[in-house]
Amino acid sequence: MTVRRDFQEPARCRPDLVIGREELFGAAREQLARGGSVLLQGPAGIGKSTVLRALAAEYGRTARTVLRCSATESESHLPFLALADLLGLVLHEVSDKLPAAQRTALESALTGRGESSLQRDGLALRLAVLSVLRALAAEGPVLVVADDLQWLDSASAELLGFAARRLGDFPVQILCAVRTEGPEYDRQLRATPPETLALRLGPLTRAQVSALLDQGGYELPRSTVRDIHRTSGGNPLFALELGRALAESATPPRPGEPLPVPTSLRALVLSRLEMLSEDARDTLLVASAGARPTLALLHAAGRQNAEAETAQAAALGLLATEPEGPAVRFAHPLISAALYAEAPAQSRRAAHAALSTAAFDPIERARHLALATTGTDPEVAARLGEAAALARDRGAPSVAASLGLLAARHTPAGMVPSPDTRRLQAAEDALTAGEVDLARDIARDVLTRATASGDRVRAWMVVIEAAGQALGDVDAVFPQALADAGDDPRLLAQVHYQLAWRGLMVLGDFAEARQEAERAAELAARGGDRRTELLALSFQATAETLMGHPNAPQTIKRALREPQDPQVACHHNGAGAARFRWLIMSDQLSEARATVTALLREARRRGNVESEVHFMRSLAETELRSGHCGRALDLARESLRLARDCGIGESASTMFTSLAEASGGDVEQALELAREAVTHAEEDGDPVYLSLALGSLGHAQFVAQDAAGAVGSLRRVRQLEESLGVTDPARGRWQGNLAEALVLVGETAEAQEVIDVTREQALRLGRESVLAVLDRAEALVRAARGEREAAVAQLTSVQDRLAKLGYGLEEARAAFALARLRTGRPGPTSYDEAERLFRRCRALPWLKQVEAAATATPAEPAATAPAPAEVDALEGLASMERQVAALVMEGATNREIAGRLFISVKTVEATLTRVYRKLGIRSRVDIVRLAAGRHAK
C-alpha cells in the first residue's frame, strides 16, 4: 500500500528530465537500491525538492508504504505536526499492535486532544513511533520522504531520529532534503538512520543552465544564457526566474548592463539591505557596478569609509570579504544584480561616473564612462572603440562585442566609423566568442536599414557564418549577397568564399567547392583583400587534401606565404589547419601534434572559441592515431562540452567523441554519440559530415562486435564518398574496418575488392598507415580462405610496420588478430602481447575483447574446413557461412559459435539466415538433418 497518491509527481520530475544531476542520481540510486537512506542538502533554490520528488517517484513504486511530510518555516513551531503528516493516515492500520501506553501517547500527540509532550510522555512516544515503523515494515518496505528537514518541528525531529537510529534490519528507508548554506549537516543527520548517504547539490554549469532554460520554454540568446548563469551562480531556481523575467520583458537590458532581477528574487536577497546605513548601501552599489571591486577601487571612487561599510555588509551575510585580501566579493552574484536593479537610474550613473575615473584598466574606464553617459557622444564612442580593439587584442572577443555595441549606441550619425560599422565589428567579435545568436541578431538589425554595399555584404557574411553547418537554412542569402556585391572584386571574393562552403556542405561536391575557393582567392588578390585570399587558399588546400588532388602540397605552400594575417594564421579554417590536415593524413604524427598544439594555444589566447573547439578535437585525433586513447578521450570529451556550451561544432565533436569512446571509453556511449551525430547530419542535409558520422557509427559497431551493423554503416560511407569525389582513404580511415567486418559476415570477395580499390588510391598518395591496415584486413581474408601461414606472416609484418609509424592502437589490433590466427589452439598466454599493447594504449573496449578471447573455449583454427562428408552439403557457401554451418552440425549453440569464431551472436544469426536461403532450408534443425543424411551415405 502507498499512502498519499498525490505525492507521485508528474512527468517533469522524472529523473531523466532533471538536468545536471546524473552523478548524484547514480549515487542516490545505488544507496537506495542497497536499502540505505539518502540526505540531500544545499542552499535554497538549488533543486533539492525536484531531485527528492524524482527519486521518491522512482523508488516509491517499490515500497508498500510511502510516508511523506513537507515542513514550512511558518509551521515549524507547532509540535508533532510533521509526525502527524507522516503517520496520521496509517496509524489505524497498526494501532492495535501497539501497547496501550504507546497508543494513547501517540494518538494524543497526533490529534492534539490530550496533553502529550516529550517531557511528559517522552519514552512512550519514542517507542510508539519506532513500533509503528516496525509494524508497517513487517508488511513490506517503507519509504519515508521528508522535504525541508530544517523546518521540521523539534518534537517530530527528535522522535523520527530516535526511531531511525533503532530500525536495524527493518526495511525502512528515509529520503530527505535539508537547506544548508554550508557543508554542515550533522544536526540533520541525527534525524536519519546510521550510515545515511549525504549528497550536496552544487551549482549547474552554463550548458546545464542552457538546457534548463530550454526545458522551461525560454528561447534566449546564448550571450543572455551566459549572463543568466553568471548572475544565478548556477542556481536552477534563480536561473529560471531570471529567464522568465527576461522572456516577459519588453525591453531587454542594454549592452554592459546587468540583468533585470524579478521581484520574486529581489525579496530573497534584499531583505537584509534595510539594516544597512544609507552610506553603506551607496558603497555596495558602487561595488555592484564594478567588474572586480576592491577596497582600493572603492576608495578611489570616493567611498572613504569602505572598510567599515563593507564589514557591516559582511556581518549581514551580503558580502564575503577575503580575510587576507583586498577583494570585495558578494555572497552570491544575485545580490549584486538585485542591488543594482533596485537602484534608481541616476544613482547607477553616478556610480559608473565615479568608477570611470577610479578604475585602473582602460577597458573598465571606457565601459563605466559609457554607462554614465546618456545620448550620443563622439569622444565616448571613440574611447569605447579603442577599448574594444584592446579587448580584441587581449583575446576577449565577448568583451569587445559588448564594448562595440556600447560604442555604436554613443556614435552620432555621420561619424566615421558609423554606428552600423561598429555594430558589424561587434557581430564579428561575437562570432569569434561563440555567441552566434547575438551575432546573427546584430547583422539582421543592420540589414534592415543599411544601404552601403560594403555594410550589407559584411552583414550577410555574418548571417552565413552564424548558420554554422546548417548552411542550407540560409541558401536564399547567397543571391542577395551577390547582388549587393555588384562587380566589386573584394566583396565578391567574400561571397564566393562562402559559396565554396556551400558547395561542400550543401551540395556535397568537393570539386565545386574547390573551384569556388579558387575563384574567391583570385578575386581577393585582385581586390587587395589578403585575409579572404588566405582563407580561400586554405579552404582550397584542405579540399584538395581530402580529395587526394595532386595540387594539395603546392596550394598549402601558397597559403603559407607571407604576408600572413595573424587572425587567419590561428583560425580553424586557416593555412595552419590545412597544413595539420595534410600532415596527419601523411602519417607525420609528431609534426601534426606540434602544429595543432601551437594552433590551439594561439586560439585560446585570442579567445576564438570555435577554433579552440576545432583544434582541441584535432589534437584528440592526433593522440588517438598515436594510440594514446585515454588522452584522446579526455580531449574529445572536453571539446564536446565546450561545443555544446557555445553551440558551435557540436556535430563534429559528437562524431569524434564517439570514435574516442569506442577506442578508450564506453562502447555503448560511442554508439549513442555516433547515432546522434548521424541524426544531426541528416537533419542538416550535410553529406560531408554524414559520411564522417556514419564512419564513426560503423567503427563503434565494429568494436561492439556487431559486424553486420558495421557493414551496413560503412557501405553507406563508401557510397557517400564516391558521390562526394573523395579519393583519399586517409580522410575517414574506414576501409579497413569495412573489409574486416565483411570477412566476419562471410563476404570475403567484397572485402578483397574494397582492399584492392583502396590500396590503389593509398599507393598513389603514399598513405603508409592505410596500406598497413589494408594488409591486416587482407590477412584475415587469406585466413578465411584457408591460407593460414600466409596470413600469419602478413600480420607479423603489419604489426611491425604500424609500430614504426607510431600507430599504437592499430599495432595492438594487428597483434590481437595475430594471436587469434597462431597455429594450434590458442590459450590464455597467446594474447599477452595484444593485452600489453592495448593496456599501453588504455584501449579499454579492446582489452575487454582480449580478456573474452583469452578465457573463451579454445577454438579450432578460423579457417578449419568442414569434414569431407559435409563438403557437398556446404558447397556454394562463403567461408564464414561454411564455418557457422559446420559448427551447427556439431550441435553448437549460437552463443558457442560466436565465442569460438570471435564474432557477435547477431552476426551468427545473420549468417545463418543467409545459409538457410542458399541451402533452401528453414532452420538449424534442417542443417543437422542435412549433415546426418550426408553421413548416412
Side-chain angles (χ1 to χ4, degrees), residues 380-397:
V380 172
R383 286 184 58 180
L384 284 165
E386 293 168 1
L390 181 58
R392 199 175 302 118
D393 291 340
R394 287 183 180 178

Side-chain angles (χ1 to χ4, degrees), residues 716-737:
R716 286 186 65 191
V717 178
R718 190 181 190 190
Q719 294 168 354
L720 277 168
E721 289 206 349
E722 286 175 357
S723 66
L724 290 168
V726 175
T727 60
D728 193 331
R731 174 189 180 250
R733 298 177 181 269
W734 48 267
Q735 296 85 351
N737 282 340

Side-chain angles (χ1 to χ4, degrees), residues 303-588:
R303 310 310 302 172
Q304 299 304 316
N305 298 318
E307 285 90 347
E309 289 159 356
T310 55
Q312 183 187 358
L316 292 172
L318 295 167
L319 290 181
T321 54
E322 302 293 337
E324 300 296 332
V328 176
R329 184 167 57 85
F330 284 89
H332 192 282
L334 191 64
I335 297 175
S336 174
L339 177 63
Y340 187 93
E342 189 81 2
Q346 186 176 354
S347 299
R348 296 186 205 171
R349 287 196 295 270
H352 286 296
L355 290 168
S356 69
T357 58
F360 304 106
D361 186 87
I363 292 177
E364 276 300 291
R365 287 199 298 270
R367 185 178 75 88
H368 288 302
L369 179 61
L371 294 174
T373 305
T374 57
T376 59
D377 187 316
E379 182 180 349
V380 172
R383 286 184 58 180
L384 284 165
E386 293 168 1
L390 181 58
R392 199 175 302 118
D393 291 340
R394 287 183 180 178
S398 180
V399 175
S402 177
L403 291 168
L405 290 175
L406 283 170
R409 196 175 89 199
H410 290 288
T411 300
M415 183 178 175
V416 178
S418 69
D420 279 345
T421 300
R422 292 192 187 279
R423 289 187 182 94
L424 289 171
Q425 179 61 65
E428 291 165 357
D429 287 330
L431 278 178
T432 301
E435 298 177 6
V436 291
D437 294 333
L438 175 61
R440 184 190 301 110
D441 291 345
I442 296 170
R444 292 286 188 186
D445 176 58
V446 170
L447 284 165
T448 61
R449 59 178 172 272
T451 56
S453 297
D455 285 348
R456 291 190 63 79
V457 171
R458 191 176 179 183
W460 287 127
M461 294 305 100
V462 171
V463 172
I464 293 169
E465 288 278 0
Q469 290 174 225
L471 278 181
D473 294 346
V474 293
D475 219 24
V477 164
F478 290 98
Q480 299 176 67
L482 283 170
D484 284 331
D487 57 1
D488 186 329
R490 189 182 184 92
L491 299 179
L492 284 170
Q494 296 177 42
V495 180
H496 281 281
Y497 172 68
Q498 296 297 345
L499 282 169
W501 282 104
R502 177 181 177 274
L504 185 63
M505 310 298 283
V506 179
L507 302 180
D509 190 333
F510 271 84
E512 171 76 12
R514 176 184 173 275
Q515 289 174 7
E516 287 288 359
E518 190 173 27
R519 185 176 181 188
E522 293 171 356
L523 287 165
R526 199 189 322 157
D529 182 355
R530 181 62 174 163
R531 182 177 188 277
T532 301
E533 181 186 7
L534 289 170
L535 285 171
L537 285 170
S538 301
F539 181 96
Q540 182 183 342
T542 300
E544 289 174 349
T545 299
L546 297 174
M547 293 170 67
H549 197 286
N551 289 358
Q554 187 59 36
T555 308
I556 291 174
K557 288 179 182 178
R558 288 177 60 199
L560 290 169
R561 286 177 191 159
E562 296 295 338
Q564 285 290 317
D565 182 305
Q567 289 186 329
V568 175
C570 69
H571 196 274
H572 59 282
N573 291 326
R579 182 171 180 271
F580 162 78
R581 182 54 48 197
W582 185 82
L583 286 169
I584 198 167
M585 290 176 66
S586 302
D587 300 324
Q588 300 180 54

Side-chain angles (χ1 to χ4, degrees), residues 182-214:
E184 297 79 15
Y185 46 83
D186 289 348
R187 184 175 65 83
Q188 288 78 26
L189 278 174
R190 287 198 292 272
T192 61
E195 300 182 2
T196 293
L197 177 65
L199 297 170
R200 182 168 184 81
L201 279 72
L204 301 181
T205 66
R206 189 198 300 182
Q208 290 164 351
V209 166
S210 177
L212 180 70
L213 292 168
D214 288 344

Side-chain angles (χ1 to χ4, degrees), residues 820-902:
R820 287 172 163 176
L821 289 180
R822 291 288 188 190
T823 54
R825 291 176 178 266
T829 59
S830 304
Y831 295 92
D832 288 352
E833 174 71 358
E835 181 183 358
R836 180 184 69 81
L837 292 173
F838 281 131
R839 197 171 298 282
R840 183 183 69 184
C841 295
R842 283 186 58 192
L844 302 183
W846 288 102
L847 273 171
K848 291 178 182 177
Q849 286 197 40
V850 171
E851 182 181 351
T855 57
T857 304
E860 294 298 325
T864 299
E870 300 161 3
V871 171
D872 292 342
L874 306 184
E875 187 177 357
L877 298 181
S879 172
M880 177 60 69
E881 293 166 352
R882 288 199 303 275
Q883 293 175 62
V884 170
L887 289 170
V888 170
M889 291 174 176
E890 294 176 12
T893 65
N894 286 3
R895 187 169 296 280
E896 289 170 342
I897 295 170
R900 292 175 67 177
L901 296 180
F902 307 108

Side-chain angles (χ1 to χ4, degrees), residues 575-700:
R579 182 171 180 271
F580 162 78
R581 182 54 48 197
W582 185 82
L583 286 169
I584 198 167
M585 290 176 66
S586 302
D587 300 324
Q588 300 180 54
L589 297 181
S590 296
E591 197 168 350
R593 180 184 292 106
T595 298
V596 75
T597 300
L599 289 168
L600 177 59
R601 187 185 305 116
E602 184 64 13
R604 282 173 170 165
R605 189 186 74 80
R606 291 180 174 275
N608 192 325
V609 177
E610 186 171 6
S611 293
E612 181 181 354
V613 170
H614 181 94
F615 292 137
M616 197 184 304
R617 191 169 62 239
S618 298
L619 181 56
E621 180 183 358
T622 309
E623 298 297 349
L624 190 58
R625 298 275 174 255
S626 303
H628 304 151
C629 298
R631 171 70 173 152
L633 183 57
D634 290 343
L635 286 164
R637 286 172 174 172
E638 187 179 352
S639 168
L640 182 57
R641 280 194 296 269
L642 182 57
R644 284 179 169 166
D645 194 18
C646 66
I648 292 178
E650 288 187 71
S651 295
S653 292
T654 301
M655 175 273 298
F656 188 79
T657 305
S658 168
L659 289 174
E661 289 282 0
S663 299
D666 185 317
V667 178
E668 290 303 317
Q669 179 69 7
L671 288 165
E672 182 178 339
L673 288 170
R675 292 184 181 112
E676 179 184 338
V678 169
T679 300
H680 283 319
E682 288 176 334
E683 289 174 352
D684 291 341
D686 184 345
V688 174
Y689 270 105
L690 178 57
S691 68
L692 294 171
L694 285 167
S696 68
L697 177 58
H699 176 73

